[in-house]
Amino acid sequence: MKRTVKRSAAWFLASLTILMTGPLLMAVSGGLHGAENWQTASRESADIAPKPDAFDDAVVQVYGARAWSWRGYFAVHTWIATKEKGATQYRVHEVTGWRHYVVSSRPSIPDRRWYGAEPTLYADIRGDEAARLIPGIYDAIQRYPYPTEYEAWPGPNSNTFTAWVIRDVPGLEVALPNHAIGKDYLGDRLIAAVPGGSGYQVSLGGYFGLLAGVREGLEVNILGLSLGVNPLALGIKLPGIGELALRNPNAMAESAD
């Protein structure tokens, strides 16, 4: 009995060490954000999205950036940006935890820095396909089941929202990074399709789970932190650090590449 307890304790400590290595490396590296105060942190465009006055077609993009402060050691904040054909501005759709109604869908800069953190473009869909997806995105936002709920861990949070909208819109298949903590929060569901479209995941309240998909690869979720491999992207997934890959498994416009 004592030997079993010791083995269990050793396994737990080893697992915890592996899970925390990535966030600790992010912490000691420093410089996740360009400002010490959120009021002075940059919210300027990163010049990734096509300018509306130079690009008439519809656009759907999915972005992520390191979360503010110490949360950035563990996770990213994700959002969806849309521009209808002929529109002169984008709309940004995201969840933020500092208001009663947490869902925000408003005209804004699509590739804006998240309080100093540089945004990363995960997916870029343009033209007729984007025009077809946008009405479904608007409808999905209205159906989001947690419009007044926010929990940074394990969810529902900003990444829960992005993953939920992607799952709810037929044809919008986007694999979110493993360090988008909250994307695996399924509410009262145990099994769901992966955001990437081809595959399924099992999740126990976002605390523990297993995900397997063509775009996502294989992920194991322990206490909200995920690790795994992605054969399609030729990459590995590390807690806190994210995915180290040679290619993007999501749809990307040629000009964005």
Side-chain angles (χ1 to χ4, degrees):
M1 180 67 178
K2 291 183 178 179
R3 182 176 297 177
T4 301
V5 172
K6 288 182 178 180
R7 287 178 178 175
S8 299
W11 181 89
F12 175 79
L13 289 174
S15 300
L16 185 62
T17 300
I18 293 172
L19 290 172
M20 291 301 296
T21 297
L24 288 173
L25 287 174
M26 296 301 300
V28 299
S29 68
L32 282 182
H33 301 284
E36 296 180 358
N37 189 301
W38 68 269
Q39 294 176 312
T40 60
S42 173
R43 294 286 281 143
E44 299 298 319
S45 169
D47 294 324
I48 298 173
K51 305 301 182 186
D53 56 356
F55 191 82
D56 185 68
D57 280 349
V59 179
V60 173
Q61 295 182 321
V62 180
Y63 287 92
R66 287 283 171 178
W68 171 255
S69 188
W70 61 268
R71 296 180 180 86
Y73 304 148
F74 294 86
V76 293
H77 165 80
T78 61
W79 65 92
I80 300 172
T82 59
K83 185 186 81 70
E84 298 180 45
K85 181 178 176 62
T88 59
Q89 59 186 345
Y90 284 83
R91 295 190 67 86
V92 173
H93 319 280
E94 62 186 339
V95 154
T96 53
W98 52 75
R99 52 170 67 94
H100 174 69
Y101 188 80
V102 298
V103 178
S104 174
S105 180
R106 68 196 188 284
S108 186
I109 300 171
D111 50 3
R112 172 175 281 175
R113 291 171 174 83
W114 183 250
Y115 297 98
E118 290 288 326
T120 297
L121 178 64
Y122 298 140
D124 187 358
I125 305 166
R126 305 184 187 184
D128 292 341
E129 184 179 1
R132 179 181 59 81
L133 292 171
I134 288 174
I137 292 173
Y138 292 164
D139 289 342
I141 292 168
Q142 296 299 316
R143 292 193 300 272
Y144 179 60
Y146 315 109
T148 60
E149 299 178 48
Y150 184 91
E151 292 290 342
W153 175 82
N157 59 23
S158 62
N159 299 319
T160 307
F161 168 78
T162 303
W164 194 92
V165 171
I166 292 171
R167 287 191 190 96
D168 198 61
V169 179
L172 182 57
E173 300 177 350
V174 179
L176 296 176
N178 64 298
H179 58 334
I181 294 178
K183 70 179 179 65
D184 301 318
Y185 180 84
L186 305 178
D188 57 1
R189 292 182 296 170
L190 180 64
I191 302 175
V194 296
S198 299
Y200 291 91
Q201 66 181 111
V202 178
S203 181
L204 300 177
Y207 293 104
F208 299 95
L210 181 66
L211 178 152
V214 173
R215 293 180 188 272
E216 284 93 344
L218 179 66
E219 292 182 17
V220 177
N221 175 2
I222 304 174
L223 296 177
L225 297 174
S226 297
L227 66 160
V229 296
N230 191 335
L232 182 62
L234 301 178
I236 60 173
K237 302 163 179 275
L238 302 174
I241 295 174
E243 188 164 327
L244 304 176
L246 297 180
R247 59 190 184 191
N248 188 342
N250 295 316
M252 297 290 286
E254 290 184 5
S255 57
D257 292 338

